[in-house]
Amino acid sequence: MTMHVIVATDGSRQSLAAAKQLKAFADPAKITEISVVAVVRPLASVAFADDLSEKQGSWATGSFREAAQSALDTIAAVYDGWGPKVNKRIRSGSAANEIIKAAEQYDAGLVVVAAGGRGIGGSVLVGSTAQRVQHYAPCPVLVVRPKPKPKR
């Protein structure tokens, strides 16, 4: 059995950890294709923040699309030489809706998302996108939670 996997990124370090988690346990021989997906909100008041690229602060000077492309490149690089074909896709709209649509469109066997990648507060909105994807996706969803922060 082979499958197509959707790996979502919001430009956060947590999404990079989620991408690496897939590689840590999955058999690349059973994955035919990986689509790394970034979603840009066209009317967003907050930019697509790219915490992953070498160009820190690129989201402030470039476009949302450039920041999303940079995050896609970083996440896709995790799978260099691993085996499956990797596609990079930028979508526009609501993150959860677009991730779910991508899973349907590409007949995905698995979606990988980070819980708590972006949000207003560490505990208030942790995993709101991941939660919606988990609830409505047409396939299993791997939700990778961030490591707990050390207590002071």
Side-chain angles (χ1 to χ4, degrees):
M1 182 174 145
T2 58
M3 75 171 109
H4 191 131
V5 177
I6 304 295
V7 177
T9 182
D10 59 0
S12 68
R13 295 190 195 292
Q14 290 91 333
S15 67
L16 180 59
K20 290 178 179 178
Q21 187 68 35
L22 171 68
K23 193 173 174 184
F25 79 85
D27 179 354
K30 295 189 177 180
I31 300 172
T32 51
E33 215 168 327
I34 296 171
S35 287
V36 182
V37 175
V39 181
V40 176
R41 297 191 70 163
L43 301 175
S45 58
V46 177
F48 183 101
D50 174 19
D51 291 342
L52 303 176
S53 77
E54 298 296 318
K55 304 180 288 182
Q56 288 299 317
S58 63
W59 55 269
T61 57
S63 73
F64 292 1
R65 193 165 191 78
E66 288 170 356
Q69 185 63 54
S70 179
L72 284 176
D73 293 343
T74 301
I75 299 295
V78 167
Y79 305 112
D80 283 351
W82 193 48
K85 177 182 176 190
V86 179
N87 303 301
K88 297 180 269 186
R89 306 179 191 280
I90 296 177
R91 297 176 74 102
S92 179
S94 157
N97 290 345
E98 291 303 316
I99 293 165
I100 292 163
K101 284 180 189 175
E104 292 167 346
Q105 180 180 354
Y106 303 118
D107 194 25
L110 179 68
V111 174
V112 179
V113 293
R118 295 263 168 244
I120 295 171
S123 60
V124 177
L125 294 178
V126 169
S128 60
T129 296
Q131 190 174 37
R132 286 193 303 269
V133 171
Q134 187 176 16
H135 189 74
Y136 295 107
C139 60
V141 178
L142 172 63
V143 178
V144 179
R145 298 188 54 78
K147 289 182 181 179
K149 293 182 180 176
K151 295 182 180 180
R152 295 182 192 188

